[in-house]
Structures are given as C-alpha cells and as structure tokens.
Amino acid sequence: MPTEKPRFTLTVDEELLKKIDDFRFENRYPSRSAATLELIRLGIESLKREQDKKEL
C-alpha cells in the first residue's frame, strides 16, 4: 500500500546495521524501518530531555 509520507535513504556501516537489527529483534519490531524510526524517536526524546536539564 503506497504512502504519502516523505521517504529518505540512509546508509550505515555493518556495525551500526547489526546494532539496529539487534534492537529490532530484541524488541520484536516488524522491520528495520520500524526499528530505525523508534531509535530516531528515542534519540530525539533523549536530546530534548538533556536540553531541558541544561535550561534549568
């Protein structure tokens, strides 16, 4: 089923790909894309928390 969401390509080395795959299987994500999206989301949330701490 086609999507209207924007897409982009990401190139990673073998070590990072293994980490993404490990995260995917440990957390039962259905695809690398789903796992990568979650890792990005978690990273952004973590950065936001760090910024909020610095502003206090």
Side-chain angles (χ1 to χ4, degrees):
M1 173 179 278
T3 180
E4 296 295 320
K5 294 179 182 178
R7 295 173 179 240
F8 71 98
T9 302
L10 185 65
T11 304
V12 299
D13 59 29
E14 291 291 327
E15 182 180 342
L16 185 53
L17 182 62
K18 182 180 181 333
K19 289 177 182 180
I20 293 167
D21 282 341
D22 288 348
F23 176 82
R24 173 189 174 193
F25 292 117
E26 288 168 9
N27 295 280
R28 299 179 181 226
Y29 283 92
S31 66
R32 279 183 178 155
S33 291
T36 302
L37 285 171
E38 180 65 5
L39 287 166
I40 291 169
R41 186 186 67 74
L42 290 168
I44 290 171
E45 287 179 1
S46 176
L47 289 171
K48 176 74 170 120
R49 282 192 302 274
E50 286 182 31
Q51 288 174 344
D52 291 347
K53 285 181 187 177
K54 289 179 183 178
E55 292 176 359
L56 294 177

